[in-house]
Amino acid sequence: MFLDRNSGESLDLQFAQIDDFLLAGDLLVLNQSKVIPARLFGHKSTGAAVEIFLLKELNGDIWQCLLRPAARLKVGHTVIFDKGLRAEIVSKDGQVNTVKFFAPSGQKVKNLLESVGKMPLPPYIKRQADDLDKDRYQTVYAKENGSVASPTAGLHFTQEKLESLKKKGVQIAYVTLHVGLGTFLPVSASNILDHKMHCEFCKIDASTADLINETKKAGGRVIAVGSTSVRTLESFADSSGKVGCGVKETEIFLYPGKNFAIVDGMLTNFHLPESTLIMMVAGFAGYENTMRAYQKAVANGYRFFSYGDAMLIL
């Protein structure tokens, strides 16, 4: 779908038609984060089945994780996985827990996590992840390990499509935001101002920041692919409307009433109600425009969620 954020007009189109809406001089910004095999299935010494879901590497072998069943895993408990990998629950703090992993002598924890772990497919995909998902649940330009969910707006792109856009004069730039709880945790607070975003690692290189600022100065549009690219760009925006560079942990929360200093366009999938993602879209495109577009998407059988359809907002 194409949505004009000024008029609110929406048009049905095939993804191949995106070439008709992007212009020479535009800059397409992609999140190059790569999904890690974050789901680990093991057991306690009693034989009880356990799942540990990796969220964020803290220091070498120590990770922030989700636990299942959380109530039956206490601080000090050991979890045993295949290939000699073990884990100890170090601390528990609400949803997020700290876990230390141990590898057999002569082996590296990082290598075993990649070998033992399964791809973290969304819960509405009712099957176990297999080896094919290590490619299918990645964007074609994924490069930097760290996400526990795919930046799914980018799944629509093939290398051929990116090359065709380059030939048209559309520039391509890459940023990094490692998707964690901050992106996909639903809003449960009755007042959105009370919602606390979890921090997520993001990065913009100096050359990328220069390209973004040059594009804005020349009158080109900066079009972010996915909510994670939007959050990264706006996290590095300064008061003059330029984007900076560096590395940070962002907890930016964008919703109606918030200013978008850098992003001129957005390609995003269709999101769940009460999510920070749809709130961001409504903040960018306008609440009424967004709701009308979503009503049209439902009426026309658009697919929502990770492997669903997308909307280009300009």
Side-chain angles (χ1 to χ4, degrees), residues 42-295:
H43 58 86
K44 294 166 47 176
S45 58
T46 61
V50 170
E51 178 184 348
I52 293 183
F53 189 99
L54 304 176
L55 288 177
K56 182 189 296 184
E57 182 179 353
L58 296 179
N59 182 17
D61 303 337
I62 301 176
W63 287 72
Q64 284 185 344
C65 302
L66 301 178
L67 306 175
R68 184 181 296 173
R72 296 185 181 179
L73 285 167
K74 309 296 184 183
V75 172
H77 279 183
T78 296
V79 181
I80 303 163
F81 303 98
D82 291 341
K83 302 187 179 181
L85 180 67
R86 294 183 298 110
E88 180 184 329
I89 313 303
V90 175
S91 67
K92 300 185 71 176
D93 183 15
Q95 264 191 315
V96 179
N97 312 273
T98 304
V99 176
K100 184 171 183 177
F101 291 91
F102 301 88
S105 178
Q107 299 192 54
K108 294 183 178 181
V109 165
K110 181 178 180 180
N111 293 340
L112 284 177
L113 288 175
E114 292 178 356
S115 174
V116 172
K118 301 291 185 182
M119 291 298 281
L121 295 181
Y124 46 80
I125 296 178
K126 304 298 184 183
R127 64 173 177 80
Q128 292 293 320
D130 57 33
D131 288 342
L132 290 176
D133 292 306
K134 292 182 178 180
D135 290 323
R136 289 176 175 169
Y137 198 53
Q138 305 280 14
T139 63
V140 297
Y141 46 80
K143 181 179 179 182
E144 299 196 16
N145 283 331
S147 282
V148 298
S150 181
T152 52
L155 293 177
H156 299 279
F157 286 94
T158 62
Q159 290 292 2
E160 292 77 12
K161 175 54 65 179
L162 292 173
E163 289 302 319
S164 73
L165 290 171
K166 288 180 184 178
K167 289 178 181 178
K168 185 176 181 178
V170 176
Q171 300 183 89
I172 309 291
Y174 297 94
V175 297
T176 301
L177 182 141
H178 292 325
V179 183
L181 278 179
T183 293
F184 59 80
L185 195 67
V187 176
S188 57
S190 57
N191 186 333
I192 63 171
L193 298 180
D194 295 329
H195 178 70
K196 176 67 174 177
M197 295 286 287
H198 287 264
C199 289
E200 293 173 313
F201 171 94
C202 62
K203 178 176 70 173
I204 297 181
D205 294 335
S207 58
T208 299
D210 289 342
L211 181 56
I212 293 166
N213 292 327
E214 290 166 4
T215 298
K216 300 283 287 186
K217 185 177 180 180
R221 299 176 299 181
V222 175
I223 300 168
V225 175
S227 59
T228 57
S229 296
V230 175
R231 294 184 67 225
T232 303
L233 293 172
E234 298 300 330
S235 293
F236 282 92
D238 64 22
S239 58
S240 68
K242 292 184 178 180
V243 71
C245 63
V247 173
K248 66 171 62 176
E249 296 281 333
T250 184
E251 53 184 3
I252 191 170
F253 182 19
L254 298 166
Y255 50 84
K258 286 286 188 176
N259 180 52
F260 289 76
I262 306 299
V263 176
D264 303 301
M266 181 193 307
L267 179 76
T268 183
N269 283 26
F270 287 88
H271 306 294
L272 286 173
E274 300 180 357
S275 66
T276 61
L277 306 174
I278 194 171
M279 292 177 186
M280 174 190 295
V281 174
F284 182 72
Y287 177 80
E288 295 297 336
N289 290 344
T290 302
M291 292 302 102
R292 283 197 297 270
Y294 269 59
Q295 289 166 5

Side-chain angles (χ1 to χ4, degrees), residues 11-26:
L11 303 172
D12 293 309
L13 67 146
Q14 298 296 314
F15 186 73
Q17 295 174 266
I18 193 172
D19 300 57
D20 299 331
F21 293 86
L22 302 185
L23 308 173
D26 286 343

